[in-house]
Amino acid sequence: MTEASDIRQRRPFARIGAFLSERRGLLRDYFAAISGAGGRLVFSLLYFVALANTLSLGDFGLFATASAAGVMLSRILAFGFISALYRTATIRPNLIGTYTAGFLAMAALSLPVLAAAAWLTYLLFFSGQMALSIFAAVIVTEALLWRPFEVVVIVNNGQNRFGRAASLTIFGTVMRAAGAVAFALWPTDSLAAWSGFYIVINGIALIAAIALFYPRQRLRFRPLLYWRRLADSLYVAGAEILFYLQMEFDKLLVLAIGGPQLAGLYAIVMRLVDLTAIPIRTFSMMLVQRIMRAPDMLKNWRIRGSIETGIFAVSTGALLSLAVVLHYFPAALGRTVEEAAPLVGLAVFVPGLRNLIEYQAELLFARGQTFVRALNLALLAGAKAVLLIFVMMRSPDTAAFIWSLNAMFVALYLVSALLTYSALRMPAKPV
């Protein structure tokens, strides 16, 4: 072999080495962040299996639906000021203490609105099916304990402390999994007993997160700074509520139309779909931070297409792998999940399309187009509600209903892509 040919052979490897060397910091941050996603995935699965196989199918459906309602309502907390806190942590971390004081003040002001929205939700969907005390316990946990826990994770991610955020994410999921396992060993397996466990374990997780992971800065209350961010925060709050409305409202509709048993089966299938999104959200979070610093990086259509193809392929592959396991070992995740095992593979395209819709919404947030994001999510929420009711009414059985969700999400993805990429043609808003 000549010296020239040897050099030509080594040249591609040299380019790869240079590429990796230039992005060593980015790769390190990504693997630090994805380690948290991996840990969360494992312990989320343990939490899900322990809880789903302890509660009855109907009780699990009620809890999953109430939890989904709590996730939606938690976005009212602080009227979206969490977004200002995140941007501050990302761009001006020396003001974290100032914006934390603003977050606490806005959170206190939002409590009456949150309580009124929760009461209305209970009257519309849960009255007569779940005790008010149990529903209130779930909402308090999601909105006042778990959402502030997420704020601690968000602030650490904003500061590029991905390892700390990953550790915290794993810790929070471990606490929930440990609570579910302890509940499985408890002599009483009622939904009321679980609601007590739920408050305690999430409360412990929040106290530990604040004590060990939140940046130590003096709280300074400066209303003039907050006023400049108020309109943007309100847009974000509206967009977040609408985002989780179109993500989680389906559970409420299934409960209202099909009852607790169908809600339980549907919640199991969608929870397994949710697990495929955990690694994708880590990637989206880091991409959002890069776009905040360089808003025009996604002008290239080839880059956009490559990212979307990758998200869809990873998500679909994850669900197919799970469906194959459950086909051959239907009881692998327990006796309750076994009832839903034949349905999982029918939702084959749902994870990829659902994750792409979530990713597209994050693109608009990253570019500061919060009003457009809120408007798009409102349209998607309305479209999803109409399509879901249509699908439920036209499906003769549960299997047909789950299979029809693929077509529904194709339609929603096309609407989302049209709205998002039309909006991306507009100039990015300074953040």
Side-chain angles (χ1 to χ4, degrees):
M1 182 182 292
T2 66
E3 183 177 350
S5 63
D6 184 54
I7 292 173
R8 282 196 299 272
Q9 284 187 354
R10 285 185 294 176
R11 190 172 295 162
F13 296 101
R15 285 199 296 265
I16 293 171
F19 177 86
L20 294 176
S21 177
E22 291 170 3
R23 290 157 177 80
R24 187 177 300 159
L26 178 63
L27 290 171
R28 183 182 62 250
D29 288 343
Y30 178 75
F31 283 113
I34 201 68
S35 67
R40 184 183 173 193
L41 181 61
V42 171
F43 289 105
S44 291
L45 185 60
L46 175 60
Y47 165 72
F48 163 71
V49 170
L51 187 59
N53 289 288
T54 303
L55 294 171
S56 67
L57 184 61
D59 279 351
F60 181 77
L62 286 170
F63 169 73
T65 308
S67 179
V71 169
M72 287 189 293
L73 294 170
S74 71
R75 270 52 195 176
I76 297 173
L77 186 69
F79 298 123
F81 202 76
I82 293 169
S83 68
L85 185 56
Y86 178 48
R87 291 184 189 279
T88 299
T90 301
I91 300 170
R92 302 178 67 186
N94 59 307
L95 292 177
I96 287 176
T98 301
Y99 277 83
T100 300
F103 167 74
L104 294 174
M106 296 293 285
L109 290 174
S110 69
L111 289 180
V113 179
L114 177 59
W119 174 247
L120 181 61
T121 303
Y122 177 78
L123 291 179
L124 289 175
F125 296 100
F126 296 93
S127 180
Q129 300 202 67
M130 174 185 279
L132 178 59
S133 59
I134 298 175
F135 178 78
V138 175
I139 299 302
V140 167
T141 302
E142 296 290 356
L144 303 184
L145 298 177
W146 187 252
R147 184 56 175 161
F149 178 90
E150 290 179 327
V151 170
V152 182
V153 177
I154 288 168
V155 169
N156 277 273
N157 277 327
Q159 291 185 291
N160 288 344
R161 295 179 176 177
F162 299 113
R164 290 169 63 89
S167 300
L168 182 56
T169 299
I170 294 172
F171 170 72
T173 313
V174 166
M175 286 297 299
R176 285 189 164 190
V181 171
F183 175 62
L185 302 174
W186 197 252
T188 304
D189 60 359
S190 67
L191 190 54
W194 168 243
S195 68
F197 271 86
Y198 202 50
I199 285 183
V200 171
I201 59 177
N202 283 277
I204 294 172
L206 174 60
I207 292 170
I210 294 173
L212 300 176
F213 291 90
Y214 203 76
R216 294 290 180 267
Q217 286 192 23
R218 183 180 175 184
L219 298 179
R220 294 182 175 88
F221 187 67
R222 298 176 63 182
L224 289 178
L225 281 180
Y226 313 146
W227 183 256
R228 292 191 329 207
R229 293 288 189 185
L230 184 58
D232 185 68
S233 295
L234 290 173
Y235 289 147
V236 170
E240 287 286 298
I241 292 168
L242 290 167
F243 174 76
Y244 282 96
L245 185 67
Q246 66 92 12
M247 290 286 285
E248 305 288 356
F249 189 62
D250 49 353
K251 296 183 179 71
L252 296 174
L253 285 177
V254 172
L255 175 66
I257 298 173
Q261 293 295 116
L262 180 60
L265 287 171
Y266 183 74
I268 289 172
V269 173
M270 296 309 292
R271 181 56 182 162
L272 294 173
V273 167
D274 285 340
L275 292 175
T276 68
I278 291 177
I280 299 299
R281 285 172 183 149
T282 301
F283 167 78
S284 297
M285 175 269 297
M286 297 189 71
L287 181 63
V288 161
Q289 289 191 6
R290 292 199 65 185
I291 297 173
M292 282 182 182
R293 300 182 180 105
D296 294 327
M297 67 172 288
L298 287 181
K299 282 187 174 180
N300 189 315
W301 278 95
R302 184 177 298 176
I303 294 176
R304 294 182 188 177
S306 299
I307 292 173
E308 293 214 358
T309 301
I311 290 174
F312 184 80
V314 170
S315 304
T316 305
L319 189 78
L320 283 175
S321 300
L322 183 59
V324 169
V325 171
L326 291 176
H327 176 75
Y328 290 103
F329 306 99
L333 300 181
R335 64 184 188 280
T336 302
V337 181
E338 185 177 2
E339 296 184 47
L343 304 174
V344 174
L346 297 176
V348 57
F349 300 121
V350 172
L353 296 167
R354 192 169 183 256
N355 292 342
L356 283 172
I357 292 169
E358 182 175 342
Y359 158 75
Q360 289 171 354
E362 290 305 301
L363 291 183
L364 294 175
F365 171 77
R367 286 168 50 88
Q369 295 173 278
T370 50
F371 176 74
V372 176
R373 180 174 183 255
L375 182 61
N376 288 3
L377 290 170
L379 293 172
L380 285 170
K384 185 176 184 181
V386 171
L387 289 172
L388 184 63
I389 293 172
F390 175 78
V391 165
M392 289 188 70
M393 295 303 183
R394 296 292 298 269
S395 300
D397 53 39
T398 305
F401 167 56
I402 298 297
W403 174 247
S404 299
L405 292 177
N406 293 290
M408 184 185 84
F409 274 95
V410 167
L412 291 173
Y413 166 75
L414 292 175
V415 172
S416 174
L418 177 63
L419 294 172
T420 299
Y421 289 116
S422 297
L424 289 179
R425 295 177 182 175
M426 296 185 289
K429 179 181 175 182
V431 295

